[in-house]
Amino acid sequence: MGVVELRGLRKEFGEVKAVNGVDLSIQKGELVVILGPSGCGKTTLMRMVAGLELPTDGEVLIGDRNVTALPPRARDIAMVFQSYALYPHMTVFDNIAFPLKARKAPKEEMAQKVEWAAGILGIQRLLARKPRQLSGGERQRVALARALVKEPAVMLLDEPLSNLDAKLRVSARDELQQFQRNLGITTIFVTHDQIEAMGLGDRIAVMNAGKVRQVGDPQEIYDDPADTFVATFLGSPPMNLLERNGHLLGFRPESFLPLEVARGDREKVTFPFHLGRVENLGSDRLLYGTVEGAERNRTISKLPSTVEVSVEAGETYDFAVCRADLRYFDKESGLRKEPPPREGG
Amino acid sequence: MQAIMPRLKRAGHYLIVAAFCFFTAAPFLIMIVNTFKQDADLYRPQNNPFIYNVPPTLDNLRLLFEGTNYLGFVRNSLFVGVLVVLITLVVAVPAAYALARLAGSWGERAGIAIFLVYLVPPTLLFIPLFRVVTAFGLNDSVWSLVLVYPTISIPFSTWLLMGFFKSIPRDLEEAAMVDGFSRLMAFFKVVMPLSLSGVIAVTVFTFTLTLHEFVYAMTFISSSDSRPLSVGVPIELVRGDVFYWQSLLAAAVIVAIPVGIVYNMFLDRLVAGFTMGAVKG
């Protein structure tokens, strides 16, 4: 039994099924990332956990308690909003102390806890300022401190890094993870950014069209996607999908290498690859082309810069994938299926 | 030569500002000067209107305070003003919040519909409203104005406050709710402090309205004891075709100065209030 249990959770807005039957169990101290494209229902799902949205159907359990009908204040949760939602008319101190005021905590305890939370996030010197005097990164820390000071059973983070610039985002991600690990707070993190999800999550729940498509640790989701959506949503560039001999074949661009490079003893499948265009990204080369003799055959190969094979656009080369790296999907449903008994290379 | 140009420019600025100040302050100046003028001074066109050509007198103030029920009018106007402001806030704040937040897409349309009510002029409404006042047995009582003025102030105030509440991100209230407050407390702790400009704008608008409204006060109230300023002063200081100008001006300026001082204290917030409502509403 997890700290958070979602059972058959559904939410409809009129005709639109924003969340369509989600079951998820989150263990104590775990950081679960809910990953999906815009409009997939991930924020609605989090808002139902927070109590800001009432589910049409299903149950939310937090710490063995059914909280489905309870308001946010009775749920023992804290939330960091995408906008941080700092109260503009209060100082940083008052912002962080706000949840304690709601609880009518004594003054000394309040000061002590605010100091503690501010200390963890390194914002003691900002306590007297107003939110408008803070940078984006500082605001994010204040929002986290405000969540932390409640010592909640679950912390909900709604794309907290998306308002930071690219450079700050990397360091904030690192800090966030250390902070979560050190304190061991059960955390649900919503994002559309697969890199954040892969880097942060103990487990990832990939959502699309209101449903959870797959739950697993980052490597598992990347290596063994449950369907073509997960396969193409994760990875940059995404997994190649080829239709050949009535099968839908998937393989990662980095597994699709020129035959002479793809050494090793593992059994390989070769494809004639007609190279259309080369993109040099510095650390990698991306080769865009088509596999001859296949339908739906646009294919990308990702060669690390350490592979020094010279290739020319317009030529056809033999490229290979290890058989173990091939994934098979059902043509109609897009779901994973077992490899056929023997597929010709 | 180069140093002179900026100075000239600055002098020009000050000249314009000074002229504008004189223009806006002139009515007050004329009112104050004339309050103390004798008839012999006031009615001679050859006299300079800004100085005393004949020694000033306190007779006009004596007439105002002793010959009319002026203090009674002030009391009535304050009574009506304060009550109507309270009623307006108690009704318009929750109404505007509900329309801005909870009613979904038709909240906006309902807000506009409510605002349209404000555009119906009192000259059309005073006869039907007179029957309403009579039905409540409030003829010739200040309570009739307490009942009727909110029909003008509430629609406008609701519409104005809607703009304020809409401009406050929902996230803030939701954050307060997650932080441990009920929706009502979140409203008082977060939404209200951030909408203070709007509340002040509504207060000023409503109070001013009750001070200057004439048609309803004239229609519903006939005894001197119950009259507010806007009706009492002209009725008692215009006798037949005799205008007691000095006392009339004194009556106006005595009320205008304290109100002006209070408005000035909130001027910045008031301007923010009206402009914000205008854009977001």
Side-chain angles (χ1 to χ4, degrees):
Chain A
M1 177 92 182
V3 173
V4 180
E5 294 269 338
L6 310 182
R7 293 180 186 161
L9 216 50
R10 290 197 308 117
K11 178 72 188 178
E12 292 171 11
F13 296 104
E15 296 285 294
V16 183
K17 290 176 179 157
V19 174
N20 193 8
V22 168
D23 295 282
L24 192 62
S25 174
I26 295 161
Q27 306 304 316
K28 192 165 172 48
E30 199 180 23
L31 194 161
V32 171
V33 177
I34 298 174
L35 173 70
S38 309
C40 72
K42 56 190 191 298
T43 295
T44 309
L45 184 70
M46 173 174 275
R47 288 172 61 85
M48 286 194 283
V49 178
L52 295 169
E53 216 69 76
L54 271 183
T56 311
D57 200 9
E59 289 180 336
V60 179
L61 281 82
I62 297 178
D64 292 342
R65 229 162 29 115
N66 187 339
V67 298
T68 316
L70 294 183
R73 64 179 184 279
R75 291 193 175 202
D76 198 13
I77 48 150
M79 184 162 170
V80 174
F81 291 76
Q82 190 173 1
S83 63
Y84 308 138
L86 301 181
Y87 311 117
H89 56 302
M90 297 182 196
T91 60
V92 168
F93 181 94
D94 289 332
N95 263 284
I96 300 175
F98 200 63
L100 302 172
K101 277 187 194 143
R103 213 187 275 169
K104 299 197 168 65
K107 275 237 156 66
E108 308 82 67
E109 187 198 328
M110 213 184 281
Q112 200 184 339
K113 279 212 170 150
V114 172
E115 280 294 323
W116 167 75
I120 290 176
L121 288 149
I123 50 171
Q124 297 101 315
R125 70 201 161 76
L126 305 175
L127 288 176
R129 294 205 199 160
K130 289 275 176 72
R132 64 171 178 278
Q133 297 164 309
L134 304 179
S135 69
E138 289 166 344
R139 284 178 201 185
Q140 188 233 8
R141 284 154 190 259
V142 175
L144 273 172
R146 187 174 68 187
L148 192 59
V149 86
K150 273 188 91 174
E151 299 179 72
V154 192
M155 190 150 78
L156 308 174
L157 308 177
D158 186 7
E159 310 217 11
L161 306 179
S162 65
N163 283 339
L164 304 179
D165 62 55
K167 203 172 159 192
L168 195 56
R169 207 176 302 171
V170 175
S171 62
R173 198 162 71 211
D174 178 44
E175 282 171 17
L176 190 66
Q177 188 171 41
Q178 286 191 13
F179 155 90
Q180 192 270 340
R181 292 270 148 82
N182 292 341
L183 298 171
I185 301 178
T186 312
T187 306
I188 304 178
F189 185 106
V190 163
T191 183
H192 65 269
D193 184 331
Q194 50 162 314
I195 297 173
E196 262 172 47
M198 296 288 289
L200 273 175
D202 292 321
R203 282 192 303 152
I204 300 176
V206 184
M207 274 189 84
N208 186 39
K211 280 186 190 286
V212 171
R213 295 308 183 94
Q214 189 175 5
V215 185
D217 67 57
Q219 201 59 49
E220 183 185 336
I221 299 244
Y222 189 78
D223 289 341
D224 284 301
D227 60 17
T228 51
F229 173 79
V230 178
T232 52
F233 190 70
L234 274 114
S236 172
M239 186 179 258
N240 292 307
L241 290 176
L242 285 187
E243 204 175 318
R244 208 159 86 137
N245 304 338
H247 298 294
L248 203 52
L249 260 177
F251 49 87
R252 293 282 172 198
E254 62 270 23
S255 318
F256 187 57
L257 300 172
L259 188 57
E260 65 264 40
V261 183
R263 281 191 228 104
D265 306 333
R266 297 159 76 200
E267 191 189 348
K268 290 176 195 67
V269 183
T270 47
F271 299 92
F273 180 57
H274 182 76
L275 183 57
R277 195 165 68 86
V278 179
E279 233 173 48
N280 198 334
L281 302 180
S283 62
D284 302 292
R285 272 183 299 171
L286 295 184
L287 314 181
Y288 295 82
T290 50
V291 166
E292 289 171 2
E295 308 144 49
R296 253 177 92 170
N297 56 4
R298 299 186 66 81
T299 310
I300 304 171
S301 164
K302 183 174 174 181
L303 300 184
S305 59
T306 47
V307 174
E308 291 169 358
V309 180
S310 74
V311 284
E312 297 263 339
E315 299 290 317
T316 302
Y317 300 93
D318 273 342
F319 270 54
V321 186
C322 287
R323 189 174 288 282
D325 292 335
L326 282 177
R327 303 286 177 263
Y328 292 84
F329 300 95
D330 187 82
K331 233 165 65 174
E332 257 73 60
S333 65
L335 294 177
R336 255 308 268 291
K337 62 179 191 183
E338 289 301 306
R342 194 68 196 158
E343 208 257 333
Chain B
M1 192 64 201
Q2 276 177 335
I4 294 174
M5 278 309 284
R7 276 190 205 168
L8 271 179
K9 222 173 166 182
R10 192 183 290 178
H13 282 177
Y14 279 115
L15 205 68
I16 292 170
V17 170
F20 188 73
C21 287
F22 180 76
F23 177 74
T24 43
F28 289 89
L29 183 66
I30 291 170
M31 285 195 283
I32 293 168
V33 170
N34 284 334
T35 295
F36 303 101
K37 278 200 174 185
Q38 297 190 26
D39 285 350
D41 189 357
L42 183 69
Y43 290 123
R44 267 180 71 91
Q46 294 88 335
N47 285 351
N48 182 342
F50 295 106
I51 59 167
Y52 294 105
N53 304 283
V54 176
T57 172
L58 288 174
D59 287 350
N60 305 316
L61 285 178
R62 211 165 289 132
L63 171 68
L64 180 66
F65 285 101
E66 292 172 6
T68 71
N69 188 21
Y70 183 65
L71 288 179
F73 304 153
V74 172
R75 208 169 35 240
N76 288 338
S77 274
L78 266 180
F79 178 80
V80 173
V82 169
L83 273 183
V84 172
V85 165
L86 287 179
I87 292 171
T88 303
L89 287 178
V90 166
V91 177
V93 166
Y97 180 66
L99 285 170
R101 277 286 187 273
L102 307 170
S105 64
W106 62 267
E108 178 81 42
R109 273 170 258 160
I112 292 170
I114 289 172
F115 179 66
L116 287 179
V117 174
Y118 167 73
L119 299 179
V120 181
T123 37
L124 275 183
L125 291 175
F126 76 96
I127 296 173
L129 281 174
F130 187 77
R131 300 201 56 170
V132 175
V133 167
T134 312
F136 279 98
L138 296 176
N139 274 335
D140 203 14
S141 153
V142 282
W143 288 102
S144 63
L145 303 180
V146 175
L147 177 74
V148 169
Y149 286 162
T151 63
I152 321 173
S153 62
I154 288 173
F156 181 80
S157 305
T158 304
W159 175 79
L160 189 75
L161 286 170
M162 258 177 84
F164 271 89
F165 295 146
K166 272 194 188 155
S167 72
I168 294 171
R170 251 167 219 264
D171 280 3
L172 289 182
E173 279 160 79
E174 289 178 347
M177 283 159 71
V178 169
D179 282 347
F181 288 99
S182 62
R183 183 178 274 280
L184 189 70
M185 284 310 287
F187 175 76
F188 282 117
K189 292 265 178 195
V190 175
V191 179
M192 279 304 271
L194 293 173
S195 311
L196 204 60
S197 298
V199 172
I200 290 173
V202 161
T203 305
V204 166
F205 164 80
T206 305
F207 192 75
T208 315
L209 177 110
T210 62
L211 267 188
H212 74 178
E213 202 285 331
F214 187 80
V215 175
Y216 291 144
M218 184 72 188
T219 322
F220 302 151
I221 292 172
S222 47
S223 74
S224 175
D225 287 345
S226 304
R227 281 187 185 126
L229 275 167
S230 59
V231 177
V233 168
I235 284 183
E236 304 213 352
L237 288 170
V238 182
R239 300 178 183 169
D241 58 355
V242 181
F243 285 68
Y244 291 86
W245 281 118
Q246 298 95 318
S247 303
L248 276 168
L249 294 173
V253 81
I254 289 169
V255 180
I257 285 178
V259 172
I261 289 171
V262 172
Y263 284 9
N264 260 295
M265 278 160 50
F266 295 110
L267 190 65
D268 290 344
R269 284 195 172 265
L270 188 65
V271 170
F274 276 116
T275 49
M276 191 164 167
V279 174
K280 298 273 183 175

